Amino acid sequence: MFTLVLHSHLPWLANHGRWPVGEEWLYQSWADCYLPIVETLERLADDGYTDVLSLGVTPVLAAQLDDPHCLSGMHHWLGNWQLRAHEATDRELSVREHRGSAAALQRFETRWRHGGSAALRPLLDAGTVELLGGPLAHPFAPLLDPRLREFSLREGLSDARARWGTAPSGIWAPECGFTPGMESEYAAAGVSHFMVDGPAMRGDTSLGRPVWDSDVVAFGRDLPVSYRVWSPKSGYPGHAAYRDFHTYDHATGLKPSRVTGRSVASNDKAPYDPERASATVDGHVADFVDVVRRRLTSESQRIGRDALVVAAFDTELFGHWWHEGPQWIDKLMRALPAAGITVGTLADAREQGYVGAPLELQDSSWGSGKDWRVWAGEDVADLVALNSEVTRTALDAVDAARHGQRSSGGPELRNRVNDQILRETLMAVASDWAFMVSKDSAAGYARERAHVHAHALREIAAASTGGSSARATALATQWNRADGLFPALDARRLRGAGTGSKREGTGGRP
């Protein structure tokens, strides 16, 4: 069996800047990736294809795709794209971009104006895709306080249930981060399977593996197959015929060129030719089908039974970074069954017995070195310290407020101040900020975002613990105007200090 897994994620960008980093990042990804990927899946569904792939959508991205501010901003951005197309002096570029923007506008206005949840729900109901969920706000879970880690996961699954009518049984843990003990938390939350990177399974990804003594199954990314598409040094998107992501027409922001060559200067790149690119897609589909077939054959022979191959990628690769990516997926998911290759989701693989012996899974991630250095290394020591401080501050404040309410003898009521404290805390500890700093990608923006959310929770918590309930309420309301995602988040569901968990440390085993 072959399984394609896509992980869709962006940090919360609404109301936190526009350009060069901020909402523009969301709207570009939405236009270039999410719209065409969903359209591709709808065509496959219309043609009778089911169990096409496992699609991870993080709660924080889902929140933005449903957010009224973001929906309005996206509509404005698509209109601006069409205006920019009309301003292009190259006629061929202008016509191509006008057609693209007009199609995107029409599609957004007819299929997306009620949000991403409404756009995706028919695909889930029809069994075209399996939905993978995850914890709220995308924290690097192994480094998170266990109480906040459990809360974030359960709230994330609840958020998915509210949006799509069902809670996912599978998840893509942020950054594929894992530490022993998390499998018990997964089982308690109703998670039956999750993704890790190939090296976490010592390179043997031919079957899913139950983790430690649980029934929760880990599936590993097959690196030789996945890297055929995308790797740090090679892969299909770098082909000379594909549209070049980094070369812009500076007057309009449009992308007029093809890659041409890796060492070719931007000014010397050849014009983009869609027909040439489409022919190249056909070649890369045929190549990938051959790669998958040979890998399945060799792995099945090695283990003496039918093997599983899981290729996994960030969804944003397809369309945003690699313009032709959605076209490649459309053709690939038709070509694989036509070539006699069984295609299914991770849930299919688990149900159909593509599961081997238990694995004592250790600390791991899919970051550099496959360890935790990206989120816990020297380059982000300040953020690690900040995360510890704000988590402690937040939990202490929420615990104190809840204790005071329980002491009054009445029922514990919804506390919007506590809700906002936890909301800002989860935003502050999002894995994106450390990743962006470690990779030197908009590091200043990342640090600013972490500190903005830290400041928010500090001043709300200080007012709350200082007895200024009116001020705490006012501050929580004000910060909620910018960070009002996850309205169903309820601090009453946070496990009380010292209760309900078998492990109170960082999750390790003896």
Side-chain angles (χ1 to χ4, degrees), residues 268-484:
D268 298 326
K269 290 184 180 291
Y272 179 63
D273 181 348
E275 292 185 2
R276 181 194 293 258
S278 183
T280 304
V281 168
D282 290 338
H284 283 153
V285 167
D287 177 76
F288 194 76
V289 169
D290 184 59
V291 167
V292 170
R293 180 193 291 111
R294 287 188 282 110
R295 182 66 167 170
L296 284 170
T297 299
S298 63
E299 286 295 274
S300 296
Q301 291 173 346
R302 182 181 64 82
I303 67 174
R305 56 174 292 192
D306 287 348
L308 173 72
V309 165
V310 178
F313 310 95
D314 283 334
T315 307
E316 292 73 26
L317 168 64
F318 299 94
H320 181 58
W321 298 105
W322 180 19
H323 178 65
E324 299 77 10
Q327 183 183 162
W328 181 83
I329 288 179
D330 191 343
K331 293 181 176 181
L332 175 69
M333 304 318 290
R334 300 172 190 272
L336 286 165
I341 296 171
T342 300
V343 173
T345 65
L346 294 179
D348 292 331
R350 190 179 191 279
E351 292 167 5
Q352 296 179 29
Y354 288 88
V355 178
L359 172 69
E360 295 184 351
L361 190 62
Q362 303 298 326
D363 293 350
S364 55
S365 79
W366 78 334
S368 301
K370 310 305 179 186
D371 53 24
W372 299 350
R373 70 187 67 176
V374 171
W375 301 275
E378 292 183 5
D379 291 342
V380 292
D382 59 322
L383 292 182
V384 173
L386 179 70
N387 290 350
S388 296
E389 176 223 324
V390 298
T391 299
R392 183 172 58 253
T393 299
L395 293 178
D396 286 349
V398 171
D399 287 343
R402 296 178 71 188
H403 176 74
Q405 191 175 63
R406 286 194 298 267
S407 298
S408 66
E412 184 176 2
L413 303 177
R414 182 81 177 269
N415 186 322
R416 303 291 182 176
V417 171
N418 285 350
D419 295 348
Q420 193 64 25
I421 287 174
L422 293 182
R423 186 175 290 114
E424 297 291 351
T425 302
L426 290 169
M427 299 288 284
V429 304
S431 72
D432 306 272
W433 317 138
F435 179 87
M436 293 166 71
V437 170
S438 291
K439 299 298 182 181
D440 195 23
S441 172
Y445 177 86
R447 279 199 164 94
E448 178 184 354
R449 286 294 306 278
H451 282 279
V452 163
H453 296 295
H455 169 72
L457 73 93
R458 284 192 196 108
E459 68 171 4
I460 300 171
S464 177
T465 58
S468 303
S469 59
R471 175 167 170 74
T473 299
L475 288 169
T477 301
Q478 291 168 12
W479 282 108
N480 187 263
R481 290 171 185 161
D483 303 322

Side-chain angles (χ1 to χ4, degrees), residues 7 12 17 21 23 64 70 78 82 88 158 181 189 198-199 202 218 227 269 309 312 322 379 419 427 430 448 483:
H7 172 58
W12 179 251
V21 183
E23 290 183 27
Q64 291 175 99
C70 295
L78 290 172
Q82 190 161 82
S158 177
R202 304 180 184 92
Y227 280 177
K269 290 184 180 291
V309 165
W322 180 19
D379 291 342
D419 295 348
M427 299 288 284
E448 178 184 354
D483 303 322

Side-chain angles (χ1 to χ4, degrees), residues 37-38 41-43 45 55 119-129:
I37 286 289
V38 171
L41 293 170
E42 288 174 350
R43 283 197 300 269
L55 179 64
L120 286 173
R121 178 69 181 265
L123 295 171
L124 305 179
D125 290 347
T128 309
V129 299

Side-chain angles (χ1 to χ4, degrees), residues 24 67 83 98 152 197 215 270 306 410 423 510:
E24 179 75 14
D67 183 75
L83 292 175
H98 168 78
S152 178
D197 209 1
D215 293 325
D306 287 348
R423 186 175 290 114

Side-chain angles (χ1 to χ4, degrees), residues 11 95 175 277 354 394:
V95 170
E175 321 297 359
Y354 288 88

